[in-house]
Coordinates of all heavy atoms in Angstrom, one line a residue:
M1 N 10.9 1.7 13.4 CA 9.9 2.5 12.8 C 9.0 3.0 14.0 O 8.5 2.3 14.8 CB 9.0 1.6 11.9 CG 7.8 2.3 11.4 SD 6.7 1.4 10.2 CE 7.0 -0.3 10.5
S2 N 8.9 4.3 14.0 CA 8.0 4.9 15.0 C 6.6 4.9 14.6 O 6.3 4.9 13.4 CB 8.5 6.4 15.3 OG 8.3 7.2 14.2
K3 N 5.7 5.0 15.6 CA 4.3 5.0 15.3 C 3.7 6.3 15.8 O 4.2 6.9 16.7 CB 3.6 3.8 16.0 CG 4.1 2.5 15.6 CD 3.0 1.4 15.7 CE 3.6 0.1 15.1 NZ 2.7 -0.6 14.3
V4 N 2.6 6.7 15.1 CA 1.9 7.9 15.4 C 0.4 7.6 15.5 O 0.0 6.6 15.0 CB 2.1 9.1 14.4 CG1 3.6 9.5 14.4 CG2 1.6 8.7 13.1
N5 N -0.3 8.4 16.2 CA -1.8 8.2 16.3 C -2.4 9.0 15.2 O -2.0 10.1 14.8 CB -2.3 8.7 17.7 CG -1.9 7.8 18.8 OD1 -1.8 6.6 18.6 ND2 -1.6 8.4 19.9
L6 N -3.5 8.5 14.7 CA -4.3 9.1 13.7 C -5.7 9.3 14.2 O -6.3 8.3 14.7 CB -4.3 8.2 12.4 CG -5.2 8.7 11.3 CD1 -4.7 10.0 10.7 CD2 -5.3 7.6 10.2
T7 N -6.2 10.5 14.2 CA -7.6 10.7 14.7 C -8.5 11.0 13.6 O -8.2 11.9 12.7 CB -7.5 11.9 15.7 OG1 -6.6 11.7 16.7 CG2 -8.9 12.2 16.3
I8 N -9.6 10.3 13.6 CA -10.6 10.6 12.5 C -12.0 10.8 13.2 O -12.2 10.3 14.3 CB -10.7 9.4 11.5 CG1 -11.1 8.1 12.2 CG2 -9.4 9.3 10.8 CD1 -11.5 7.0 11.2
S9 N -12.9 11.4 12.4 CA -14.3 11.5 12.9 C -15.1 10.5 12.1 O -15.0 10.4 10.9 CB -14.8 13.0 12.7 OG -14.0 13.8 13.4
I10 N -16.0 9.9 12.8 CA -16.9 8.9 12.1 C -18.2 8.8 12.9 O -18.2 9.1 14.1 CB -16.2 7.5 12.1 CG1 -17.0 6.5 11.3 CG2 -15.9 7.0 13.4 CD1 -16.3 5.2 11.0
D11 N -19.3 8.5 12.2 CA -20.6 8.4 12.8 C -20.5 7.2 13.9 O -19.9 6.2 13.6 CB -21.6 8.1 11.7 CG -23.0 7.9 12.3 OD1 -23.6 8.9 12.5 OD2 -23.4 6.8 12.4
D12 N -21.2 7.4 15.0 CA -21.2 6.4 16.1 C -21.7 5.1 15.6 O -21.1 4.0 15.9 CB -22.1 6.8 17.2 CG -21.5 7.9 18.1 OD1 -20.3 8.1 18.1 OD2 -22.3 8.6 18.8
K13 N -22.8 5.0 14.8 CA -23.3 3.8 14.3 C -22.4 3.1 13.3 O -22.2 1.9 13.3 CB -24.7 4.0 13.7 CG -25.7 4.3 14.7 CD -27.1 4.5 14.1 CE -28.1 4.8 15.1 NZ -29.5 5.0 14.6
D14 N -21.7 3.9 12.5 CA -20.7 3.3 11.5 C -19.5 2.7 12.3 O -19.1 1.7 11.9 CB -20.2 4.4 10.6 CG -21.3 4.8 9.6 OD1 -22.3 4.1 9.4 OD2 -21.1 5.9 8.9
K15 N -19.1 3.4 13.3 CA -18.0 2.9 14.1 C -18.4 1.6 14.8 O -17.6 0.6 14.7 CB -17.6 3.9 15.2 CG -16.4 3.4 16.0 CD -16.1 4.4 17.1 CE -14.9 3.8 18.0 NZ -15.0 4.1 19.3
E16 N -19.5 1.5 15.3 CA -20.0 0.3 16.0 C -20.1 -0.9 15.0 O -19.7 -2.0 15.2 CB -21.4 0.6 16.6 CG -21.9 -0.6 17.4 CD -23.2 -0.3 18.0 OE1 -23.5 0.8 18.5 OE2 -24.1 -1.2 18.1
S17 N -20.7 -0.6 13.8 CA -20.9 -1.6 12.8 C -19.5 -2.1 12.3 O -19.3 -3.3 12.1 CB -21.7 -1.0 11.6 OG -23.0 -0.7 12.0
F18 N -18.6 -1.1 12.1 CA -17.2 -1.5 11.6 C -16.5 -2.3 12.6 O -15.9 -3.3 12.3 CB -16.4 -0.2 11.2 CG -15.2 -0.6 10.5 CD1 -15.1 -1.0 9.2 CD2 -13.9 -0.4 11.2 CE1 -13.9 -1.3 8.6 CE2 -12.7 -0.7 10.6 CZ -12.7 -1.1 9.3
N19 N -16.6 -2.0 13.9 CA -16.0 -2.7 15.0 C -16.5 -4.1 15.0 O -15.7 -5.1 15.2 CB -16.1 -2.0 16.3 CG -15.3 -0.8 16.5 OD1 -14.3 -0.6 15.8 ND2 -15.6 0.1 17.4
K20 N -17.8 -4.3 14.8 CA -18.4 -5.6 14.8 C -17.9 -6.5 13.6 O -17.5 -7.6 13.8 CB -19.9 -5.6 14.8 CG -20.5 -5.2 16.1 CD -22.0 -5.1 16.0 CE -22.7 -4.6 17.3 NZ -24.1 -4.5 17.2
L21 N -17.8 -5.8 12.5 CA -17.4 -6.5 11.2 C -15.9 -7.0 11.4 O -15.6 -8.2 11.2 CB -17.4 -5.5 10.0 CG -16.8 -6.0 8.8 CD1 -17.5 -7.2 8.2 CD2 -16.7 -4.9 7.7
V22 N -15.0 -6.1 11.8 CA -13.6 -6.5 11.9 C -13.4 -7.6 13.1 O -12.6 -8.4 12.9 CB -12.6 -5.3 12.1 CG1 -12.7 -4.4 10.8 CG2 -12.9 -4.5 13.3
A23 N -14.2 -7.4 14.1 CA -14.1 -8.4 15.1 C -14.5 -9.8 14.6 O -13.9 -10.8 15.0 CB -15.0 -8.0 16.3
E24 N -15.6 -9.9 13.8 CA -16.0 -11.1 13.2 C -14.9 -11.7 12.3 O -14.7 -12.9 12.2 CB -17.3 -11.0 12.4 CG -18.5 -10.8 13.3 CD -19.8 -10.6 12.5 OE1 -19.9 -11.2 11.4 OE2 -20.7 -9.9 13.0
I25 N -14.1 -10.9 11.7 CA -13.0 -11.3 10.8 C -11.9 -11.8 11.6 O -11.1 -12.6 11.2 CB -12.6 -10.1 9.8 CG1 -13.8 -9.8 8.8 CG2 -11.3 -10.5 9.1 CD1 -13.6 -8.6 8.0
G26 N -11.8 -11.2 12.8 CA -10.7 -11.7 13.7 C -9.6 -10.7 13.9 O -8.5 -11.0 14.3
I27 N -9.9 -9.4 13.5 CA -8.9 -8.4 13.7 C -9.5 -7.2 14.4 O -10.7 -7.2 14.7 CB -8.2 -7.9 12.4 CG1 -9.3 -7.3 11.4 CG2 -7.5 -9.0 11.7 CD1 -8.8 -6.8 10.1
N28 N -8.7 -6.2 14.8 CA -9.3 -5.0 15.4 C -9.3 -3.8 14.4 O -8.8 -3.9 13.3 CB -8.5 -4.6 16.7 CG -7.1 -4.3 16.4 OD1 -6.7 -3.7 15.4 ND2 -6.2 -4.6 17.4
T29 N -9.9 -2.7 14.8 CA -10.1 -1.6 14.0 C -8.8 -1.0 13.5 O -8.6 -0.7 12.3 CB -11.0 -0.5 14.7 OG1 -12.2 -1.1 15.0 CG2 -11.2 0.7 13.8
S30 N -7.9 -0.9 14.4 CA -6.6 -0.4 14.1 C -5.9 -1.2 13.0 O -5.3 -0.7 12.0 CB -5.7 -0.3 15.3 OG -4.4 0.3 15.0
S31 N -5.9 -2.5 13.1 CA -5.3 -3.4 12.1 C -6.0 -3.2 10.8 O -5.3 -3.2 9.7 CB -5.4 -4.9 12.6 OG -4.6 -5.0 13.7
A32 N -7.3 -3.2 10.8 CA -8.1 -3.0 9.5 C -7.7 -1.7 8.8 O -7.5 -1.7 7.6 CB -9.6 -3.1 9.8
I33 N -7.6 -0.7 9.6 CA -7.3 0.6 8.9 C -5.8 0.6 8.4 O -5.5 1.1 7.3 CB -7.6 1.8 9.9 CG1 -9.1 1.9 10.1 CG2 -7.0 3.1 9.4 CD1 -9.5 2.8 11.2
N34 N -4.9 0.0 9.2 CA -3.6 -0.1 8.8 C -3.4 -1.0 7.5 O -2.7 -0.6 6.6 CB -2.7 -0.7 9.9 CG -2.2 0.3 10.8 OD1 -1.4 1.2 10.4 ND2 -2.6 0.3 12.1
M35 N -4.3 -2.0 7.4 CA -4.3 -2.8 6.2 C -4.7 -2.0 5.0 O -4.1 -2.1 3.9 CB -5.2 -4.1 6.4 CG -4.6 -5.1 7.4 SD -5.8 -6.3 7.9 CE -6.1 -7.2 6.3
F36 N -5.8 -1.2 5.2 CA -6.3 -0.3 4.1 C -5.2 0.6 3.7 O -5.0 0.8 2.4 CB -7.5 0.4 4.6 CG -8.0 1.4 3.7 CD1 -8.9 1.1 2.7 CD2 -7.6 2.8 3.7 CE1 -9.4 2.0 1.8 CE2 -8.1 3.7 2.8 CZ -9.0 3.3 1.8
I37 N -4.5 1.3 4.6 CA -3.5 2.3 4.3 C -2.3 1.6 3.5 O -1.8 2.1 2.5 CB -3.0 3.0 5.5 CG1 -4.1 3.9 6.1 CG2 -1.7 3.8 5.3 CD1 -3.9 4.4 7.4
K38 N -1.9 0.4 4.0 CA -0.7 -0.3 3.4 C -1.1 -0.7 2.0 O -0.3 -0.6 1.1 CB -0.3 -1.5 4.3 CG 0.5 -1.0 5.5 CD 1.0 -2.2 6.3 CE 1.7 -1.8 7.6 NZ 2.9 -1.0 7.3
Q39 N -2.3 -1.2 1.8 CA -2.7 -1.6 0.4 C -2.8 -0.4 -0.5 O -2.4 -0.5 -1.6 CB -4.1 -2.3 0.5 CG -4.5 -2.8 -0.9 CD -5.8 -3.7 -0.8 OE1 -6.3 -4.0 0.2 NE2 -6.3 -4.1 -2.0
A40 N -3.3 0.7 0.0 CA -3.4 1.9 -0.8 C -2.0 2.4 -1.2 O -1.7 2.8 -2.4 CB -4.1 3.1 0.0
I41 N -1.0 2.3 -0.3 CA 0.3 2.7 -0.6 C 0.9 1.8 -1.6 O 1.6 2.2 -2.6 CB 1.2 2.8 0.7 CG1 0.7 4.0 1.6 CG2 2.7 3.0 0.4 CD1 1.2 3.9 3.0
R42 N 0.8 0.5 -1.3 CA 1.4 -0.5 -2.2 C 0.8 -0.4 -3.7 O 1.5 -0.5 -4.6 CB 1.1 -1.9 -1.7 CG 1.7 -3.1 -2.5 CD 1.5 -4.4 -1.9 NE 0.1 -4.7 -1.5 CZ -0.4 -4.8 -0.3 NH1 0.3 -4.6 0.7 NH2 -1.7 -5.1 -0.1
E43 N -0.5 -0.2 -3.8 CA -1.1 -0.1 -5.1 C -1.2 1.3 -5.7 O -1.5 1.4 -6.8 CB -2.6 -0.7 -5.0 CG -2.6 -2.2 -4.7 CD -4.0 -2.7 -4.6 OE1 -5.0 -1.9 -4.9 OE2 -4.2 -3.9 -4.2
Q44 N -0.8 2.3 -4.9 CA -0.8 3.7 -5.3 C -2.2 4.1 -5.8 O -2.4 4.7 -6.8 CB 0.2 3.9 -6.4 CG 1.7 3.9 -5.9 CD 1.9 5.0 -4.8 OE1 2.0 6.1 -5.2 NE2 2.0 4.6 -3.6
R45 N -3.2 3.6 -5.1 CA -4.6 4.0 -5.4 C -5.4 3.6 -4.1 O -5.0 2.8 -3.3 CB -5.2 3.2 -6.6 CG -5.3 1.7 -6.3 CD -5.9 1.0 -7.5 NE -6.3 -0.3 -7.2 CZ -7.5 -0.7 -6.7 NH1 -8.4 0.2 -6.5 NH2 -7.8 -1.9 -6.4
L46 N -6.6 4.2 -4.0 CA -7.5 3.8 -2.9 C -8.1 2.4 -3.3 O -8.6 2.3 -4.4 CB -8.6 4.8 -2.7 CG -8.1 6.1 -2.1 CD1 -9.3 7.1 -2.0 CD2 -7.4 6.0 -0.8
P47 N -8.0 1.4 -2.4 CA -8.6 0.1 -2.7 C -10.1 0.1 -2.6 O -10.7 -0.7 -1.8 CB -7.9 -0.8 -1.7 CG -7.6 0.1 -0.6 CD -7.3 1.4 -1.2
L48 N -10.8 0.9 -3.3 CA -12.2 1.0 -3.3 C -12.7 1.1 -4.8 O -12.0 1.6 -5.6 CB -12.7 2.3 -2.6 CG -12.2 2.5 -1.2 CD1 -12.5 3.9 -0.7 CD2 -12.9 1.5 -0.2
N49 N -14.0 0.7 -5.0 CA -14.6 0.9 -6.2 C -15.6 2.0 -6.1 O -16.7 1.8 -5.5 CB -15.4 -0.4 -6.7 CG -14.4 -1.5 -7.0 OD1 -13.3 -1.2 -7.6 ND2 -14.7 -2.7 -6.7
L50 N -15.3 3.2 -6.5 CA -16.1 4.4 -6.4 C -16.7 4.7 -7.7 O -16.0 4.8 -8.7 CB -15.3 5.6 -5.9 CG -14.5 5.3 -4.6 CD1 -13.7 6.5 -4.3 CD2 -15.5 5.1 -3.4
S51 N -18.0 5.0 -7.8 CA -18.7 5.3 -9.0 C -19.9 6.1 -8.8 O -20.6 5.9 -7.8 CB -19.0 4.0 -9.8 OG -19.7 4.3 -11.0
L52 N -20.2 7.1 -9.7 CA -21.5 7.8 -9.6 C -22.4 7.2 -10.6 O -23.6 7.4 -10.5 CB -21.2 9.3 -10.0 CG -20.4 10.1 -9.1 CD1 -20.1 11.5 -9.7 CD2 -21.0 10.2 -7.7
N53 N -22.0 6.4 -11.5 CA -22.8 5.8 -12.5 C -23.1 4.3 -12.1 O -22.3 3.5 -11.9 CB -22.1 5.7 -13.8 CG -22.9 5.2 -15.0 OD1 -23.9 4.5 -14.8 ND2 -22.5 5.5 -16.2
E54 N -24.4 4.0 -11.9 CA -24.9 2.7 -11.5 C -24.4 1.6 -12.4 O -24.0 0.5 -12.0 CB -26.4 2.7 -11.4 CG -26.9 1.5 -10.7 CD -26.6 1.4 -9.2 OE1 -26.5 2.4 -8.6 OE2 -26.3 0.3 -8.7
K55 N -24.3 1.9 -13.7 CA -23.9 0.8 -14.7 C -22.4 0.5 -14.5 O -22.0 -0.6 -14.7 CB -24.1 1.3 -16.1 CG -25.6 1.4 -16.5 CD -25.7 1.9 -18.0 CE -27.2 1.9 -18.3 NZ -27.4 2.4 -19.7
E56 N -21.6 1.5 -14.1 CA -20.2 1.3 -13.9 C -19.9 0.4 -12.7 O -18.9 -0.3 -12.6 CB -19.4 2.6 -13.7 CG -19.3 3.4 -15.0 CD -18.6 4.7 -14.8 OE1 -18.0 4.9 -13.7 OE2 -18.7 5.6 -15.7
K57 N -20.8 0.4 -11.8 CA -20.6 -0.4 -10.6 C -20.6 -1.9 -10.9 O -19.9 -2.7 -10.3 CB -21.7 -0.2 -9.5 CG -21.6 1.2 -8.9 CD -22.7 1.4 -7.9 CE -22.7 2.7 -7.3 NZ -23.8 3.0 -6.4
N58 N -21.3 -2.3 -12.0 CA -21.4 -3.7 -12.3 C -20.5 -4.1 -13.5 O -20.4 -5.2 -13.9 CB -22.8 -4.1 -12.7 CG -23.8 -4.0 -11.6 OD1 -23.4 -4.3 -10.4 ND2 -24.9 -3.5 -11.8
F59 N -19.7 -3.1 -14.0 CA -18.8 -3.3 -15.1 C -17.5 -3.9 -14.6 O -16.9 -3.5 -13.6 CB -18.5 -2.0 -15.8 CG -17.5 -2.1 -16.9 CD1 -17.9 -2.7 -18.1 CD2 -16.2 -1.7 -16.7 CE1 -16.9 -2.8 -19.2 CE2 -15.3 -1.8 -17.8 CZ -15.7 -2.3 -19.0
I60 N -17.1 -5.0 -15.3 CA -15.8 -5.6 -14.9 C -14.9 -5.4 -16.1 O -15.1 -5.9 -17.2 CB -16.0 -7.2 -14.6 CG1 -16.9 -7.3 -13.4 CG2 -14.6 -7.8 -14.4 CD1 -17.3 -8.7 -13.2
D61 N -13.8 -4.8 -15.9 CA -12.7 -4.6 -16.9 C -11.8 -5.9 -16.9 O -10.9 -6.0 -16.1 CB -11.9 -3.4 -16.6 CG -10.9 -3.0 -17.7 OD1 -10.7 -3.9 -18.6 OD2 -10.4 -1.9 -17.7
T62 N -12.1 -6.8 -17.8 CA -11.4 -8.0 -17.8 C -9.9 -7.9 -18.1 O -9.1 -8.7 -17.6 CB -12.0 -9.0 -18.9 OG1 -12.0 -8.4 -20.2 CG2 -13.4 -9.4 -18.5
E63 N -9.5 -6.8 -18.8 CA -8.1 -6.6 -19.1 C -7.4 -6.2 -17.8 O -6.3 -6.7 -17.5 CB -8.0 -5.5 -20.1 CG -6.5 -5.2 -20.5 CD -6.4 -4.3 -21.7 OE1 -7.2 -4.3 -22.6 OE2 -5.5 -3.4 -21.6
K64 N -8.0 -5.4 -17.0 CA -7.4 -5.1 -15.7 C -7.3 -6.3 -14.8 O -6.4 -6.4 -14.0 CB -8.1 -3.9 -15.0 CG -7.9 -2.6 -15.6 CD -8.5 -1.5 -14.9 CE -8.3 -0.1 -15.5 NZ -9.0 1.0 -14.8
V65 N -8.4 -7.1 -14.8 CA -8.4 -8.3 -14.0 C -7.3 -9.2 -14.4 O -6.5 -9.7 -13.6 CB -9.8 -9.0 -14.0 CG1 -9.7 -10.4 -13.3 CG2 -10.8 -8.1 -13.4
S66 N -7.1 -9.4 -15.7 CA -6.0 -10.2 -16.2 C -4.7 -9.7 -15.8 O -3.8 -10.5 -15.5 CB -6.1 -10.4 -17.8 OG -7.3 -11.0 -18.1
E67 N -4.5 -8.4 -15.9 CA -3.2 -7.8 -15.5 C -2.9 -8.0 -14.0 O -1.8 -8.4 -13.7 CB -3.2 -6.3 -15.8 CG -3.1 -5.9 -17.2 CD -3.2 -4.4 -17.5 OE1 -3.1 -3.6 -16.5 OE2 -3.5 -4.0 -18.6
K68 N -4.0 -7.9 -13.2 CA -3.8 -8.1 -11.8 C -3.4 -9.6 -11.5 O -2.5 -9.9 -10.7 CB -5.0 -7.8 -11.0 CG -5.2 -6.3 -10.8 CD -6.4 -6.0 -10.0 CE -6.6 -4.5 -9.8 NZ -7.7 -4.2 -8.9
I69 N -4.0 -10.5 -12.2 CA -3.7 -11.9 -12.0 C -2.3 -12.2 -12.4 O -1.5 -12.9 -11.7 CB -4.7 -12.8 -12.8 CG1 -6.1 -12.7 -12.1 CG2 -4.2 -14.3 -12.9 CD1 -7.2 -13.4 -13.0
M70 N -1.9 -11.6 -13.6 CA -0.5 -11.9 -14.0 C 0.5 -11.2 -13.1 O 1.6 -11.8 -12.8 CB -0.3 -11.3 -15.4 CG -1.1 -12.1 -16.5 SD -0.8 -13.9 -16.4 CE 1.0 -14.0 -16.8
D71 N 0.2 -10.1 -12.5 CA 1.1 -9.4 -11.5 C 1.2 -10.3 -10.3 O 2.3 -10.4 -9.8 CB 0.5 -8.0 -11.1 CG 0.6 -7.0 -12.2 OD1 1.4 -7.2 -13.2 OD2 0.0 -6.0 -12.1
K72 N 0.1 -10.9 -9.9 CA 0.2 -11.8 -8.7 C 1.1 -13.1 -9.0 O 1.9 -13.5 -8.2 CB -1.2 -12.3 -8.3 CG -1.9 -11.1 -7.6 CD -3.3 -11.6 -7.1 CE -4.0 -10.4 -6.5 NZ -5.3 -10.7 -6.0
Y73 N 0.9 -13.6 -10.3 CA 1.8 -14.7 -10.6 C 3.2 -14.3 -10.7 O 4.1 -15.0 -10.3 CB 1.3 -15.4 -12.0 CG 0.1 -16.3 -11.8 CD1 -1.1 -16.0 -12.5 CD2 0.2 -17.5 -11.1 CE1 -2.2 -16.8 -12.3 CE2 -0.9 -18.3 -11.0 CZ -2.0 -18.0 -11.6 OH -3.1 -18.8 -11.5
D74 N 3.5 -13.2 -11.3 CA 4.9 -12.7 -11.4 C 5.5 -12.5 -10.1 O 6.6 -12.9 -9.8 CB 4.9 -11.3 -12.2 CG 4.6 -11.4 -13.7 OD1 4.7 -12.6 -14.2 OD2 4.4 -10.4 -14.3
F75 N 4.7 -11.9 -9.1 CA 5.2 -11.8 -7.8 C 5.5 -13.1 -7.1 O 6.5 -13.3 -6.5 CB 4.2 -11.0 -6.9 CG 4.6 -10.8 -5.5 CD1 5.6 -9.9 -5.1 CD2 4.0 -11.6 -4.5 CE1 5.9 -9.8 -3.8 CE2 4.4 -11.5 -3.2 CZ 5.4 -10.6 -2.8
A76 N 4.6 -14.1 -7.3 CA 4.7 -15.4 -6.7 C 6.0 -16.1 -7.2 O 6.7 -16.7 -6.5 CB 3.5 -16.2 -6.9
F77 N 6.2 -16.0 -8.5 CA 7.4 -16.6 -9.1 C 8.7 -16.0 -8.7 O 9.7 -16.7 -8.4 CB 7.3 -16.6 -10.7 CG 6.3 -17.6 -11.2 CD1 5.3 -17.2 -12.0 CD2 6.4 -19.0 -10.9 CE1 4.3 -18.1 -12.5 CE2 5.5 -19.9 -11.4 CZ 4.4 -19.5 -12.2
K78 N 8.7 -14.7 -8.5 CA 9.9 -14.0 -8.0 C 10.2 -14.4 -6.6 O 11.3 -14.6 -6.2 CB 9.6 -12.5 -8.1 CG 9.7 -11.9 -9.5 CD 9.5 -10.4 -9.5 CE 9.4 -9.9 -11.0 NZ 9.0 -8.5 -11.1
E79 N 9.1 -14.6 -5.8 CA 9.3 -15.0 -4.4 C 9.8 -16.4 -4.3 O 10.7 -16.7 -3.5 CB 8.0 -14.9 -3.6 CG 7.5 -13.5 -3.3 CD 8.5 -12.8 -2.4 OE1 8.8 -13.2 -1.3 OE2 9.0 -11.7 -2.8
L80 N 9.3 -17.3 -5.2 CA 9.8 -18.7 -5.3 C 11.2 -18.8 -5.7 O 12.0 -19.6 -5.3 CB 8.9 -19.5 -6.1 CG 7.5 -19.8 -5.6 CD1 6.7 -20.5 -6.7 CD2 7.6 -20.7 -4.4
A81 N 11.6 -17.9 -6.6 CA 13.0 -17.8 -7.1 C 14.0 -17.4 -6.1 O 15.2 -17.7 -6.2 CB 13.1 -17.0 -8.3
K82 N 13.6 -16.8 -5.0 CA 14.5 -16.3 -4.0 C 15.2 -17.4 -3.2 O 14.7 -18.4 -3.0 CB 13.9 -15.3 -3.0 CG 13.5 -14.0 -3.6 CD 12.8 -13.1 -2.6 CE 12.5 -11.8 -3.2 NZ 11.8 -10.9 -2.3

């Protein structure tokens, strides 16, 4: 698998804050961004909660949460069956 460089523009302070955050977690910026991209591809969505409505930010869709939990169990059982 070949690798390519990705160039983005970001505010200096945001970059510094993000670098500190990922360093505290124990990874680097490149790894964190790669994780974000891989999760987005795997889930076919951006792994973010975006909302213009303040009420929606605190809303939890229990049906979606239940589906995600069941998907994780299904995946785990398939892996164990291998």
Side-chain angles (χ1 to χ4, degrees):
M1 174 179 21
S2 66
K3 298 211 177 221
V4 297
N5 288 325
L6 174 67
T7 303
I8 63 169
S9 297
I10 186 171
D11 181 79
D12 286 337
K13 289 182 181 181
D14 289 344
K15 181 183 177 215
E16 184 180 323
S17 296
F18 188 73
N19 285 340
K20 285 180 184 177
L21 170 67
V22 297
E24 286 181 30
I25 293 171
I27 60 176
N28 61 32
T29 300
S30 182
S31 295
I33 292 171
N34 275 294
M35 291 168 66
F36 175 85
I37 291 170
K38 288 183 182 292
Q39 184 174 354
I41 293 167
R42 184 176 53 251
E43 295 180 5
Q44 290 297 290
R45 68 178 193 86
L46 292 180
L48 304 168
N49 292 323
L50 304 174
S51 177
L52 295 176
N53 184 341
E54 192 64 35
K55 290 181 182 177
E56 289 179 12
K57 290 180 183 177
N58 297 323
F59 176 74
I60 297 173
D61 185 347
T62 55
E63 186 173 317
K64 285 185 181 179
V65 171
S66 296
E67 287 175 16
K68 284 184 179 183
I69 291 170
M70 291 309 296
D71 288 345
K72 287 181 181 180
Y73 279 117
D74 288 343
F75 176 78
F77 285 122
K78 286 177 186 173
E79 289 296 306
L80 288 172
K82 290 182 179 179

